[in-house]
Amino acid sequence: MTGGRATAAAPVAPVAPAVAPETGSGRDAILLAARRAFTQRPYAEVTIRKIAADAGVSPSLVVKHFGRKEELFNTVADFGPAAAELFDAPLDALGRHMVVTLVTYRRTFKSDPLLRVVFSLGNQDERSLLRDRFHEQVTAALTARLPGRDRALRAELLAGLLLGLGATLSLHREGAGALASPERIADLYAPALQNLITG
């Protein structure tokens, strides 16, 4: 975390996340296919062969990049790298940074770094691990960063706003949000996040 960094009044520039999938190697396509598979179907029904087919690669390439199915699932269930990118800003600029980073990530990699947790709701199989990891790596990490009262409640509401933004952009893929710059979306959306951050 870089909470001690000097603050700036200028908008946060969009930065492609350092933890993004490796493009050009098939790894990104595999990860997208695996996220769809593990969030939409019970763990026992997911196979490396089907993920490979959905990604347009060979099963051996899936194994090369991610190992066995268990290891691939653990990668899908890991929100830590995304959280590190989303929360890497001083508190007084964190709301804007989170919005710009989220929108930029979605546009660059054609996927949302957090939204897959929504598919785990109501499931009692291995997909419940996504909820546990999200709580630990996203909500609890936010709680630890926030000052003042009701930190846990504010962190949960912040997580909800981030998921809501991702869901809205997914729902309106060709809507006004698709035409707006990340900075303009942040102009309108980030104040709600920042209000929860500062309390």
Side-chain angles (χ1 to χ4, degrees):
M1 304 292 176
T2 54
R5 188 186 298 169
T7 60
V12 178
V15 177
V19 294
E22 296 171 15
T23 56
S25 65
R27 189 180 192 277
D28 50 345
I30 294 167
L31 193 53
L32 287 174
R35 285 177 174 176
R36 285 193 300 268
F38 284 123
T39 56
Q40 296 174 10
R41 296 195 295 277
Y43 180 86
E45 295 180 8
V46 177
T47 66
I48 292 290
R49 185 176 299 278
K50 182 66 167 66
I51 289 172
D54 289 347
V57 301
S58 67
S60 62
L61 188 62
V62 177
V63 174
K64 175 184 175 183
H65 282 299
F66 295 100
R68 297 171 300 153
K69 184 171 85 166
E70 178 183 1
E71 294 165 320
L72 180 54
F73 178 77
N74 283 332
T75 301
V76 167
D78 186 7
F79 295 95
E85 292 288 342
L86 286 167
F87 306 157
D88 187 24
L91 285 177
D92 62 356
L94 185 56
R96 185 173 189 86
H97 171 82
M98 288 195 291
V99 173
V100 171
T101 301
L102 181 70
V103 175
T104 301
Y105 186 104
R106 288 178 55 88
R107 291 182 178 179
T108 303
F109 304 109
K110 310 302 182 195
S111 109
D112 190 284
L114 302 178
L115 200 55
R116 63 190 180 276
V117 73
V118 173
F119 293 95
S120 72
L121 301 179
N123 293 310
Q124 299 305 317
D125 57 20
E126 289 86 352
R127 287 171 288 183
S128 65
L129 177 62
L130 271 74
R131 294 196 301 275
D132 296 339
R133 292 274 181 85
F134 187 90
H135 176 76
E136 173 191 341
Q137 298 174 331
V138 178
T139 312
L142 267 174
T143 301
R145 285 213 63 192
L146 298 180
R149 299 176 54 191
D150 299 318
R151 294 184 307 144
L153 174 59
R154 285 157 49 213
E156 289 175 8
L157 294 173
L158 278 165
L161 285 175
L162 290 171
L163 291 172
L165 177 58
T168 297
L169 294 173
S170 293
L171 182 63
H172 303 288
R173 289 186 186 277
E174 298 179 6
L179 302 175
S181 69
E183 292 77 12
R184 181 55 183 154
I185 294 173
D187 288 343
L188 297 171
Y189 202 80
L193 278 76
Q194 194 61 43
N195 183 56
L196 288 169
I197 291 166
T198 58

